């Protein structure tokens, strides 16, 4: 990617962000329209590599919090973005010099780009998850022992809630309670830190990665060759070091709301080379657990993405439909999530799955040996 | 129930079939679509009645499937000017209406957009109350500038009351038809708004077409109840169609897919429908079209219908060939093929001319046009590649698939295509659309958010209410009440709420009133 994000880059980043969203994080479509519009009105956004940050920088992660079903219906007020940046400046007495995505998955990849365009700030090429997760403390800052700091919530009316939660779990609890009152969605800033901390904690290059994923799935290989539809998913797996776990048809689907989360499971019947096998996907906003014929194929914090079998386009947990033909891929997560602290924060246990974490590579090795 | 007449008005041809009470095709004909579509419909009705030997009095139902609305959008032609009132301020300002629309489509409907206070929160609270004076002021700005108005409120699928209130004011002030979004689409403000704007833009488009259809029936003494095909392969009564013209938008491909299954007796295949203007490729699974899992783009904008999963490519019999055969379409001479195509004495080189020139097709009484072999070969290769690529994109896997070829433009398809195991051209293949149109049942669908107290009786009541609303809509669309069954009821979650909302989607299908 050039050192600037232009409106022409947005659609590819959005597709990549939907893949890294592993079915959650919200549809990037609304955010991408907003980012494109604000870039059109205010000019391209400078992309700042994580290692370019200086100690004097004050980096502000901006994102949306709330239900995807709210964010696609009650679209945010443009004023929320500037109001959030002003609120954090008032709360900590530092002027933001850059914004960054808190998560690169789903709609939250787009909001910082939009905010950066509007505020005339650069956006950091990195995020604090390397994917999407459903809870506010599931960030690399937390893994490194940093608290959320001053936390800002702003809604469409201009209501501001500034809190100083004692840790990530409290940040999540307080935010969630406020967001219900704010109609199920708000703009949020937390983990705003100086450049030194962000250099230590951010997973670098993830916006560029999202753009590359989008580019491959839209038919352009890393070397610039044109890819046919049926070549794209394999090319993507090659590029990411990811694994094609299963090709199948959605044969059963359960979905329900439980404690503010979309929980459910999809059963798949194998097609093509996977005919005769079954696959089960468990999700809580994001896809978190994948089992082939009862055996674990991939589990959080590794990434499980569901792609349309024919087009390679990512499918969200809200969009999974009976009869859909899909490919499931597994992407190894950043090593920080594979530490004891990482697994305690976002491993299977945390989400209530009574399984041990196994790296997605292990299943892939078994598969080859079969 | 007596005989049915099924008519499909495409961009190029108007097809008509007569089916007996057992749904057997008695006769099928094809006539050119005319600038005033009513003339072509009348000619097709006359021809099919004569060919079938069926008296007008024996026809009890007449079904019209039309891609007229789809073409109007794709070609940005004949669309009404639309005023757009979005009820959502102070929220939603980050993405105003028409954001992301192609410039030419924006120009066709005009940019009469006003963002007003209004809308609901996901939990049913009022986001902002309606300001009646602001609505009137917006109307004053639009007076004389718009042919219809789209009213779109945040979370109107939870509560339609604000949209209805604004619709009444607009009707009083402007006297133009109003489309309210809660009746058009589901959750997803931008997609529902887009669909509602298109619906409003098509109101006069479909009214003109319907007037011609009804007049053609009456003039021939056909006392049949008129129906329009809708995008899920079912039918709706005339008055319902005029209020919801956008629902006709996917019916062309759906009808050909259903018609192809009926005519070929095959239930799993790709259906490739080549018309005069476009080729539509759908996937037949168990005799029904595969539904799209995603938001559907119509004319370059996202809408949120459940639509058949169809790939539409700008290739048909009337497709214009340029640049020494190296450029195929995407535009078409459409219904003017029979006057403008080279083979018919015109001066435009079309895909049909190429098929004739390479000897792949013959048309009685028409000589192959003079086209150099370099040009003809290049264009023929281009047509084949375009078809093969398009088929490949819709295949469920890399394995070769059977293809049922339907539609009047089928003569431009090569006999052998890579990736295709069998190329079938069933009898009456040219009129599969019209056959599919005449098969249809009548459906009604709703998608509503309910506030429930989390108890099972509460949820049951919500499901029952949605089911009843779907039945009502099926009845409004023309289904016989005693035959209506609720065929699907789906509960979808509304996350991050207080856990007391549930989205329920219900679909009911019944038989035509006989």
């Amino acid at each position: 990617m050039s050192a600037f994000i232009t409106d022409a880059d947005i659609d590819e980043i959005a597709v990549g962000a939907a893949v890294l969203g592993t079915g959650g994080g919200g549809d990037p479509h609304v955010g991408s329209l907003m980012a494109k519009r604000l870039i059109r009105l205010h000019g391209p956004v400078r992309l700042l590599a994580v290692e370019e940050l200086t100690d004097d920088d004050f980096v502000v992660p901006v994102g949306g919090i709330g239900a995807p079903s709210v964010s696609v219906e009650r679209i945010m007020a443009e004023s929320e973005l500037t109001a959030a940046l002003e609120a954090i400046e008032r709360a900590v007495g530092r002027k933001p010099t850059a914004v960054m995505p808190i998560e690169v998955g789903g709609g939250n990849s787009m909001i910082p780009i939009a905010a950066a365009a509007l505020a005339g700030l650069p956006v950091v090429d990195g995020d604090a998850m390397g994917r999407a997760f459903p809870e506010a403390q599931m960030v690399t800052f937390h893994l490194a022992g940093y608290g959320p700091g001053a936390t800002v919530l702003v809604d469409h009316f201009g209501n501001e809630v500034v809190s100083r939660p004692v840790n990530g779990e409290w940040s999540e609890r307080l935010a969630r309670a406020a967001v219900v009152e704010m109609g199920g969605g708000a703009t949020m800033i937390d983990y705003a830190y100086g450049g030194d901390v962000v250099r230590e904690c951010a997973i670098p290059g993830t916006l560029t990665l999202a753009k590359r994923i989008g580019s491959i799935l839209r038919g352009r290989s890393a070397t610039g060759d044109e890819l046919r539809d049926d070549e794209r998913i394999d090319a993507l797996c090659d590029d990411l070091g990811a694994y094609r776990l299963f090709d199948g048809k959605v044969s059963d689907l359960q979905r329900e709301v439980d404690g503010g989360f979309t929980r459910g499971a999809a059963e798949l019947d194998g097609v093509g080379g996977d005919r005769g096998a079954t696959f089960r996907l468990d999700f809580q906003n994001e896809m978190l657990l994948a089992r082939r014929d009862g055996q674990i194929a991939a589990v959080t914090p590794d990434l499980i993405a569901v792609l349309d079998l024919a087009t390679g386009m990512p499918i969200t947990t809200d969009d999974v439909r009976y009869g859909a033909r899909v490919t499931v891929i597994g992407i190894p997560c950043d090593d920080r999530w594979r530490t004891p602290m990482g697994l305690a924060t976002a491993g299977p246990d945390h989400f209530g799955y009574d399984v041990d974490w196994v790296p997605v590579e292990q299943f892939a090795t078994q598969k080859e040996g079969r | 129930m007596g005989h049915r007449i099924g008519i499909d008005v495409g961009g190029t041809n108007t097809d008509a079939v007569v089916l007996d009470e057992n749904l057997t095709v008695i006769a099928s004909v094809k006539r050119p679509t005319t600038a005033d579509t009513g003339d072509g419909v009348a000619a097709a009705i006359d021809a099919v009645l004569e060919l079938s030997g069926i008296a007008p009095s024996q026809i009890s139902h007449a079904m019209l499937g039309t891609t007229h609305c789809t073409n109007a959008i794709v070609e940005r032609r004949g669309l009404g000017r639309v005023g757009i009132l979005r009820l959502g301020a102070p929220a939603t300002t980050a993405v105003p209406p028409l954001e992301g629309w192609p410039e030419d489509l924006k120009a066709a409907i005009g940019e009469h957009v006003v963002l007003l206070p209004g809308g609901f929160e996901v939990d049913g609270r009022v986001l902002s109350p309606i300001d009646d004076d602001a609505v009137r002021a917006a109307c004053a700005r639009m007076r004389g500038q718009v042919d219809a108005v789209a009213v779109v409120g945040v979370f109107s699928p939870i509560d339609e009351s604000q949209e209805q209130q604004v619709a009444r004011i607009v009707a009083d002030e402007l006297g133009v038809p109003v489309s309210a979004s809660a009746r058009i689409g589901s959750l997803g403000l931008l997609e529902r708004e887009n669909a509602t704007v298109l619906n409003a833009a098509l109101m006069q488009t479909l009214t003109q077409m319907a007037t011609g259809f009804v007049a053609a029936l009456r003039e021939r003494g056909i006392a049949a109840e008129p129906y329009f095909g809708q995008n899920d392969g079912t039918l709706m009564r005339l008055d319902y169609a005029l209020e919801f013209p956008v629902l006709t938008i996917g019916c062309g491909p759906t009808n050909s897919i259903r018609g192809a299954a009926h005519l070929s007796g095959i239930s799993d295949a790709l259906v490739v429908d080549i018309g005069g203007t476009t080729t539509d490729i759908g996937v037949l699974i168990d005799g029904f079209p595969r539904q799209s899992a995603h938001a559907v783009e119509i004319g370059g904008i996202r809408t949120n219908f459940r639509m058949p999963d169809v790939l539409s490519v700008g290739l048909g019999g009337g497709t214009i060939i340029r640049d020494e055969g190296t450029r195929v379409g995407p535009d078409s001479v459409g219904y003017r093929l029979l006057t403008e195509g080279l083979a018919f004495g015109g001066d435009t080189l079309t895909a049909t001319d190429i098929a004739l020139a390479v000897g792949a097709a013959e048309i009685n009484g028409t000589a192959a046009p003079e086209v150099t072999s370099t040009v003809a070969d290049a264009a023929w290769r281009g047509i084949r590649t375009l078809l093969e690529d398009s088929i490949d994109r819709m295949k469920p896997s890399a394995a070769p698939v059977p293809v049922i070829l339907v539609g009047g433009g089928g003569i431009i398809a090569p006999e052998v295509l890579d990736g295709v195991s069998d190329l079938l051209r069933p009898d009456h293949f040219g009129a599969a659309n019209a056959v599919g149109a005449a098969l249809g049942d009548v459906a009604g669908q709703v998608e509503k958010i309910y506030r429930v107290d989390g108890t099972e009786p509460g949820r049951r009541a919500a499901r029952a209410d949605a089911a009843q609303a779907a039945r009502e809509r099926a009845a409004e669309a023309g289904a016989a009440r005693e035959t209506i069954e609720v065929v699907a009821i789906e509960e979808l979650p509304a996350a991050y709420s207080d856990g007391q909302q549930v989205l329920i989607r219900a679909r009911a299908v019944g038989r035509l009133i006989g």
Side-chain angles (χ1 to χ4, degrees), chain A residues 27 29-30 33-34 36-38 40 65-70 72-79 134-135 156-157 172 176 179-184 228-230 249 253 255-257 260-262 271-272 285 308-311 313-315 318-319 321 323-325, chain B residues 86 88 90-96 99-100 106 120-123 125-128 153-157 186-192 285-286 290 292-295 302 306 309 392-398 459 490-499 501 505:
Chain A
D27 181 347
H29 177 68
V30 172
L33 287 175
M34 183 165 66
K36 278 192 269 194
R37 171 169 171 268
L38 292 174
R40 216 172 55 231
I65 179 171
S69 58
V70 170
V72 299
E73 182 68 27
R74 196 201 64 198
I75 292 160
M76 67 164 59
E78 196 175 294
S79 55
E135 297 171 37
H156 47 299
F157 293 116
E172 169 66 24
R176 189 163 289 269
V179 165
V180 169
E181 289 309 309
M182 289 172 152
R228 289 202 320 267
D229 277 16
D230 59 348
K249 185 185 115 167
L253 186 65
R255 225 183 336 221
E256 60 177 41
V257 176
F261 291 100
T262 305
V271 299
N285 294 11
D308 183 290
L309 182 61
T311 64
M313 286 297 125
I315 298 173
D318 283 345
D319 268 345
R321 300 255 191 276
R325 311 278 176 116
Chain B
R86 185 197 281 176
T92 79
T93 51
V95 185
E99 186 64 31
K106 269 199 252 184
F120 294 88
E121 302 283 8
V122 67
D123 56 11
R125 283 179 288 164
V126 171
L127 195 164
S128 320
V154 169
F155 276 115
S156 63
S186 54
L187 285 183
L189 180 76
L190 298 179
E191 290 84 356
R192 186 173 73 253
I285 296 173
D286 298 334
R290 179 172 79 189
S292 171
H294 295 285
R302 289 223 320 189
R306 276 312 289 280
D309 188 6
D392 196 50
R393 286 174 61 183
M394 291 302 280
K395 277 161 59 167
S397 74
R459 296 177 93 125
E490 235 184 317
E491 263 187 56
L492 301 164
Y496 272 86
S497 65
D498 54 7
Q501 286 92 36
R505 184 185 289 148

Side-chain angles (χ1 to χ4, degrees), chain B residues 315 321 323-328 350-351 354-355 357-358 360 371-390 412-414 416-418:
Chain B
L315 175 68
I321 309 291
D323 298 349
E324 302 295 304
T326 57
R327 223 172 102 209
V328 178
T350 67
I354 299 297
V358 299
V371 183
T372 69
S373 62
T374 325
V375 171
D377 290 348
W380 189 240
R381 266 199 311 278
I383 291 169
R384 177 172 173 168
T385 305
L386 193 53
L387 269 179
E388 286 173 347
D389 283 354
S390 310
I412 67 162
V416 176
L417 289 166
D418 281 351

Side-chain angles (χ1 to χ4, degrees), chain A residues 101-118:
Chain A
I102 192 75
E103 59 181 338
V104 75
N108 273 344
S109 60
M110 289 295 151
I111 289 171
I113 299 173
L118 190 62

Side-chain angles (χ1 to χ4, degrees), chain A residues 188-211:
Chain A
M188 181 168 185
I189 292 175
D190 58 356
Y191 297 97
Y193 276 105
D196 49 343
V197 174
V198 177
R199 278 201 315 274
E200 176 193 343
C201 294
I203 300 177
T206 48
L207 278 175
T208 313
L209 175 71
K211 154 108 174 156

Side-chain angles (χ1 to χ4, degrees), chain B residues 452-464:
Chain B
V452 293
D453 55 12
T455 63
E456 194 45 41
R459 296 177 93 125
R460 255 204 311 277
R463 291 165 76 101

